[in-house]
Amino acid sequence: MVLCSTALTIYFASHSIRTVVVTTLACSLLLQLAYFASVLFLIWRSGCASGVGQMTEHSAAASTLDTSRQTMVR
C-alpha cells in the first residue's frame, strides 16, 4: 500500500517512470530495514524480559533457602 501510493505520488509529481522505479526501490529498501530493525528490537526486548524473569525466580529460590536455613539453626 505504501509503495503504491509513493509510486503514484512520484509519478504525478515528476512524470518519469525511471524516477518512480528508483524511488519505489529505495522506499522498499527502507521498509525492509525498518522491519528487520523492529524484529531485532523485539528479540532483544524478549531476551531482557526473560533475563529479568530468571533473576526473579533465582531471588525467590535464594530467599526460600535462607528461610529454611534460619529454621534449621533454631
Side-chain angles (χ1 to χ4, degrees):
M1 186 92 166
V2 172
L3 292 176
C4 290
S5 64
T6 302
L8 287 173
T9 304
I10 296 299
Y11 180 74
F12 287 128
S14 68
H15 298 290
S16 170
I17 296 294
R18 184 173 187 230
T19 305
V20 169
V21 170
V22 170
T23 306
T24 304
L25 289 175
C27 185
S28 175
L29 179 65
L30 286 175
L31 286 172
Q32 289 295 317
L33 287 173
Y35 176 75
F36 183 70
S38 66
V39 168
L40 287 179
F41 174 74
L42 290 174
I43 291 170
W44 172 76
R45 193 175 73 172
S46 76
C48 289
S50 70
V52 170
Q54 288 175 353
M55 288 177 25
T56 304
E57 290 173 6
H58 181 68
S59 299
S63 66
T64 304
L65 288 176
D66 290 342
T67 305
S68 64
R69 288 182 186 160
Q70 290 173 357
T71 57
M72 293 170 79
V73 172
R74 291 182 189 173

PDB file of all heavy atoms in Angstrom, residues 8-29:
ATOM      1  N   LEU A   8       2.640   6.308  -7.142  1.00  0.00           N
ATOM      2  CA  LEU A   8       1.681   7.198  -7.811  1.00  0.00           C
ATOM      3  C   LEU A   8       1.996   8.665  -7.548  1.00  0.00           C
ATOM      4  O   LEU A   8       1.937   9.504  -8.462  1.00  0.00           O
ATOM      5  CB  LEU A   8       0.267   6.876  -7.352  1.00  0.00           C
ATOM      6  CG  LEU A   8      -0.329   5.584  -7.900  1.00  0.00           C
ATOM      7  CD1 LEU A   8      -1.674   5.294  -7.243  1.00  0.00           C
ATOM      8  CD2 LEU A   8      -0.471   5.678  -9.405  1.00  0.00           C
ATOM      9  N   THR A   9       2.343   8.977  -6.319  1.00  0.00           N
ATOM     10  CA  THR A   9       2.668  10.369  -5.982  1.00  0.00           C
ATOM     11  C   THR A   9       3.885  10.852  -6.756  1.00  0.00           C
ATOM     12  O   THR A   9       3.885  11.960  -7.307  1.00  0.00           O
ATOM     13  CB  THR A   9       2.922  10.499  -4.468  1.00  0.00           C
ATOM     14  OG1 THR A   9       1.785  10.009  -3.760  1.00  0.00           O
ATOM     15  CG2 THR A   9       3.220  11.927  -4.066  1.00  0.00           C
ATOM     16  N   ILE A  10       4.923  10.029  -6.796  1.00  0.00           N
ATOM     17  CA  ILE A  10       6.141  10.413  -7.520  1.00  0.00           C
ATOM     18  C   ILE A  10       5.861  10.535  -9.021  1.00  0.00           C
ATOM     19  O   ILE A  10       6.358  11.450  -9.685  1.00  0.00           O
ATOM     20  CB  ILE A  10       7.271   9.398  -7.251  1.00  0.00           C
ATOM     21  CG1 ILE A  10       7.669   9.411  -5.768  1.00  0.00           C
ATOM     22  CG2 ILE A  10       8.492   9.667  -8.112  1.00  0.00           C
ATOM     23  CD1 ILE A  10       8.186  10.741  -5.257  1.00  0.00           C
ATOM     24  N   TYR A  11       5.056   9.630  -9.552  1.00  0.00           N
ATOM     25  CA  TYR A  11       4.767   9.701 -10.988  1.00  0.00           C
ATOM     26  C   TYR A  11       4.009  10.974 -11.335  1.00  0.00           C
ATOM     27  O   TYR A  11       4.326  11.645 -12.319  1.00  0.00           O
ATOM     28  CB  TYR A  11       3.982   8.473 -11.451  1.00  0.00           C
ATOM     29  CG  TYR A  11       3.676   8.536 -12.919  1.00  0.00           C
ATOM     30  CD1 TYR A  11       4.683   8.310 -13.852  1.00  0.00           C
ATOM     31  CD2 TYR A  11       2.399   8.852 -13.376  1.00  0.00           C
ATOM     32  CE1 TYR A  11       4.414   8.389 -15.209  1.00  0.00           C
ATOM     33  CE2 TYR A  11       2.132   8.929 -14.734  1.00  0.00           C
ATOM     34  CZ  TYR A  11       3.134   8.699 -15.641  1.00  0.00           C
ATOM     35  OH  TYR A  11       2.876   8.782 -16.992  1.00  0.00           O
ATOM     36  N   PHE A  12       2.992  11.312 -10.526  1.00  0.00           N
ATOM     37  CA  PHE A  12       2.233  12.532 -10.823  1.00  0.00           C
ATOM     38  C   PHE A  12       3.057  13.793 -10.603  1.00  0.00           C
ATOM     39  O   PHE A  12       2.829  14.802 -11.242  1.00  0.00           O
ATOM     40  CB  PHE A  12       0.950  12.587 -10.000  1.00  0.00           C
ATOM     41  CG  PHE A  12      -0.093  11.616 -10.476  1.00  0.00           C
ATOM     42  CD1 PHE A  12      -0.684  10.733  -9.595  1.00  0.00           C
ATOM     43  CD2 PHE A  12      -0.489  11.576 -11.805  1.00  0.00           C
ATOM     44  CE1 PHE A  12      -1.654   9.830 -10.025  1.00  0.00           C
ATOM     45  CE2 PHE A  12      -1.457  10.681 -12.253  1.00  0.00           C
ATOM     46  CZ  PHE A  12      -2.037   9.803 -11.356  1.00  0.00           C
ATOM     47  N   ALA A  13       4.056  13.713  -9.724  1.00  0.00           N
ATOM     48  CA  ALA A  13       4.908  14.883  -9.473  1.00  0.00           C
ATOM     49  C   ALA A  13       5.986  15.048 -10.546  1.00  0.00           C
ATOM     50  O   ALA A  13       6.299  16.175 -10.947  1.00  0.00           O
ATOM     51  CB  ALA A  13       5.554  14.781  -8.106  1.00  0.00           C
ATOM     52  N   SER A  14       6.556  13.927 -11.012  1.00  0.00           N
ATOM     53  CA  SER A  14       7.693  14.046 -11.916  1.00  0.00           C
ATOM     54  C   SER A  14       7.421  13.578 -13.347  1.00  0.00           C
ATOM     55  O   SER A  14       8.190  13.920 -14.249  1.00  0.00           O
ATOM     56  CB  SER A  14       8.864  13.223 -11.375  1.00  0.00           C
ATOM     57  OG  SER A  14       8.573  11.844 -11.445  1.00  0.00           O
ATOM     58  N   HIS A  15       6.395  12.760 -13.574  1.00  0.00           N
ATOM     59  CA  HIS A  15       6.078  12.186 -14.885  1.00  0.00           C
ATOM     60  C   HIS A  15       7.265  11.420 -15.467  1.00  0.00           C
ATOM     61  O   HIS A  15       7.492  11.440 -16.666  1.00  0.00           O
ATOM     62  CB  HIS A  15       5.616  13.264 -15.870  1.00  0.00           C
ATOM     63  CG  HIS A  15       4.368  13.942 -15.436  1.00  0.00           C
ATOM     64  ND1 HIS A  15       3.143  13.308 -15.422  1.00  0.00           N
ATOM     65  CD2 HIS A  15       4.148  15.204 -14.973  1.00  0.00           C
ATOM     66  CE1 HIS A  15       2.229  14.155 -14.980  1.00  0.00           C
ATOM     67  NE2 HIS A  15       2.802  15.313 -14.697  1.00  0.00           N
ATOM     68  N   SER A  16       8.013  10.746 -14.591  1.00  0.00           N
ATOM     69  CA  SER A  16       9.169   9.982 -15.031  1.00  0.00           C
ATOM     70  C   SER A  16       9.092   8.569 -14.452  1.00  0.00           C
ATOM     71  O   SER A  16       9.093   8.395 -13.233  1.00  0.00           O
ATOM     72  CB  SER A  16      10.456  10.661 -14.562  1.00  0.00           C
ATOM     73  OG  SER A  16      11.561   9.822 -14.772  1.00  0.00           O
ATOM     74  N   ILE A  17       9.054   7.591 -15.327  1.00  0.00           N
ATOM     75  CA  ILE A  17       8.989   6.193 -14.894  1.00  0.00           C
ATOM     76  C   ILE A  17      10.288   5.796 -14.184  1.00  0.00           C
ATOM     77  O   ILE A  17      10.275   5.073 -13.194  1.00  0.00           O
ATOM     78  CB  ILE A  17       8.712   5.257 -16.092  1.00  0.00           C
ATOM     79  CG1 ILE A  17       7.341   5.542 -16.692  1.00  0.00           C
ATOM     80  CG2 ILE A  17       8.828   3.796 -15.694  1.00  0.00           C
ATOM     81  CD1 ILE A  17       6.187   5.221 -15.759  1.00  0.00           C
ATOM     82  N   ARG A  18      11.411   6.295 -14.706  1.00  0.00           N
ATOM     83  CA  ARG A  18      12.705   5.963 -14.096  1.00  0.00           C
ATOM     84  C   ARG A  18      12.766   6.463 -12.660  1.00  0.00           C
ATOM     85  O   ARG A  18      13.212   5.741 -11.762  1.00  0.00           O
ATOM     86  CB  ARG A  18      13.837   6.585 -14.915  1.00  0.00           C
ATOM     87  CG  ARG A  18      15.192   6.204 -14.406  1.00  0.00           C
ATOM     88  CD  ARG A  18      16.283   6.689 -15.344  1.00  0.00           C
ATOM     89  NE  ARG A  18      17.559   6.152 -14.898  1.00  0.00           N
ATOM     90  CZ  ARG A  18      18.626   6.879 -14.724  1.00  0.00           C
ATOM     91  NH1 ARG A  18      18.597   8.175 -14.978  1.00  0.00           N
ATOM     92  NH2 ARG A  18      19.748   6.328 -14.313  1.00  0.00           N
ATOM     93  N   THR A  19      12.314   7.657 -12.406  1.00  0.00           N
ATOM     94  CA  THR A  19      12.293   8.204 -11.050  1.00  0.00           C
ATOM     95  C   THR A  19      11.359   7.394 -10.158  1.00  0.00           C
ATOM     96  O   THR A  19      11.671   7.134  -8.991  1.00  0.00           O
ATOM     97  CB  THR A  19      11.844   9.676 -11.069  1.00  0.00           C
ATOM     98  OG1 THR A  19      12.690  10.405 -11.949  1.00  0.00           O
ATOM     99  CG2 THR A  19      11.910  10.289  -9.694  1.00  0.00           C
ATOM    100  N   VAL A  20      10.239   6.958 -10.703  1.00  0.00           N
ATOM    101  CA  VAL A  20       9.286   6.145  -9.932  1.00  0.00           C
ATOM    102  C   VAL A  20       9.930   4.824  -9.519  1.00  0.00           C
ATOM    103  O   VAL A  20       9.814   4.395  -8.370  1.00  0.00           O
ATOM    104  CB  VAL A  20       7.997   5.895 -10.750  1.00  0.00           C
ATOM    105  CG1 VAL A  20       7.121   4.852 -10.080  1.00  0.00           C
ATOM    106  CG2 VAL A  20       7.241   7.179 -10.956  1.00  0.00           C
ATOM    107  N   VAL A  21      10.630   4.175 -10.461  1.00  0.00           N
ATOM    108  CA  VAL A  21      11.258   2.885 -10.162  1.00  0.00           C
ATOM    109  C   VAL A  21      12.338   3.040  -9.096  1.00  0.00           C
ATOM    110  O   VAL A  21      12.396   2.279  -8.123  1.00  0.00           O
ATOM    111  CB  VAL A  21      11.832   2.253 -11.454  1.00  0.00           C
ATOM    112  CG1 VAL A  21      12.694   1.036 -11.139  1.00  0.00           C
ATOM    113  CG2 VAL A  21      10.713   1.880 -12.399  1.00  0.00           C
ATOM    114  N   VAL A  22      13.189   4.040  -9.256  1.00  0.00           N
ATOM    115  CA  VAL A  22      14.272   4.256  -8.293  1.00  0.00           C
ATOM    116  C   VAL A  22      13.710   4.597  -6.913  1.00  0.00           C
ATOM    117  O   VAL A  22      14.147   4.049  -5.890  1.00  0.00           O
ATOM    118  CB  VAL A  22      15.230   5.369  -8.795  1.00  0.00           C
ATOM    119  CG1 VAL A  22      16.213   5.780  -7.722  1.00  0.00           C
ATOM    120  CG2 VAL A  22      15.960   4.904 -10.038  1.00  0.00           C
ATOM    121  N   THR A  23      12.734   5.468  -6.865  1.00  0.00           N
ATOM    122  CA  THR A  23      12.143   5.868  -5.586  1.00  0.00           C
ATOM    123  C   THR A  23      11.414   4.704  -4.919  1.00  0.00           C
ATOM    124  O   THR A  23      11.511   4.515  -3.704  1.00  0.00           O
ATOM    125  CB  THR A  23      11.165   7.037  -5.792  1.00  0.00           C
ATOM    126  OG1 THR A  23      11.834   8.088  -6.475  1.00  0.00           O
ATOM    127  CG2 THR A  23      10.644   7.551  -4.479  1.00  0.00           C
ATOM    128  N   THR A  24      10.715   3.908  -5.706  1.00  0.00           N
ATOM    129  CA  THR A  24       9.999   2.758  -5.164  1.00  0.00           C
ATOM    130  C   THR A  24      10.980   1.728  -4.603  1.00  0.00           C
ATOM    131  O   THR A  24      10.746   1.153  -3.533  1.00  0.00           O
ATOM    132  CB  THR A  24       9.104   2.120  -6.232  1.00  0.00           C
ATOM    133  OG1 THR A  24       8.220   3.125  -6.742  1.00  0.00           O
ATOM    134  CG2 THR A  24       8.292   0.979  -5.662  1.00  0.00           C
ATOM    135  N   LEU A  25      12.080   1.491  -5.299  1.00  0.00           N
ATOM    136  CA  LEU A  25      13.093   0.573  -4.785  1.00  0.00           C
ATOM    137  C   LEU A  25      13.722   1.096  -3.495  1.00  0.00           C
ATOM    138  O   LEU A  25      13.960   0.333  -2.553  1.00  0.00           O
ATOM    139  CB  LEU A  25      14.168   0.321  -5.844  1.00  0.00           C
ATOM    140  CG  LEU A  25      13.744  -0.527  -7.035  1.00  0.00           C
ATOM    141  CD1 LEU A  25      14.872  -0.595  -8.062  1.00  0.00           C
ATOM    142  CD2 LEU A  25      13.343  -1.914  -6.586  1.00  0.00           C
ATOM    143  N   ALA A  26      13.979   2.392  -3.449  1.00  0.00           N
ATOM    144  CA  ALA A  26      14.540   2.984  -2.237  1.00  0.00           C
ATOM    145  C   ALA A  26      13.563   2.883  -1.066  1.00  0.00           C
ATOM    146  O   ALA A  26      13.941   2.549   0.062  1.00  0.00           O
ATOM    147  CB  ALA A  26      14.921   4.438  -2.495  1.00  0.00           C
ATOM    148  N   CYS A  27      12.309   3.139  -1.340  1.00  0.00           N
ATOM    149  CA  CYS A  27      11.273   3.041  -0.306  1.00  0.00           C
ATOM    150  C   CYS A  27      11.135   1.595   0.169  1.00  0.00           C
ATOM    151  O   CYS A  27      10.990   1.336   1.371  1.00  0.00           O
ATOM    152  CB  CYS A  27       9.947   3.571  -0.851  1.00  0.00           C
ATOM    153  SG  CYS A  27       8.637   3.642   0.370  1.00  0.00           S
ATOM    154  N   SER A  28      11.200   0.661  -0.756  1.00  0.00           N
ATOM    155  CA  SER A  28      11.123  -0.754  -0.399  1.00  0.00           C
ATOM    156  C   SER A  28      12.296  -1.162   0.486  1.00  0.00           C
ATOM    157  O   SER A  28      12.127  -1.885   1.469  1.00  0.00           O
ATOM    158  CB  SER A  28      11.118  -1.597  -1.674  1.00  0.00           C
ATOM    159  OG  SER A  28      11.163  -2.945  -1.363  1.00  0.00           O
ATOM    160  N   LEU A  29      13.472  -0.686   0.161  1.00  0.00           N
ATOM    161  CA  LEU A  29      14.656  -0.977   0.979  1.00  0.00           C
ATOM    162  C   LEU A  29      14.507  -0.407   2.379  1.00  0.00           C
ATOM    163  O   LEU A  29      14.823  -1.073   3.376  1.00  0.00           O
ATOM    164  CB  LEU A  29      15.908  -0.422   0.298  1.00  0.00           C
ATOM    165  CG  LEU A  29      17.223  -0.634   1.036  1.00  0.00           C
ATOM    166  CD1 LEU A  29      17.541  -2.127   1.118  1.00  0.00           C
ATOM    167  CD2 LEU A  29      18.343   0.109   0.346  1.00  0.00           C
TER     168      LEU A  29
END
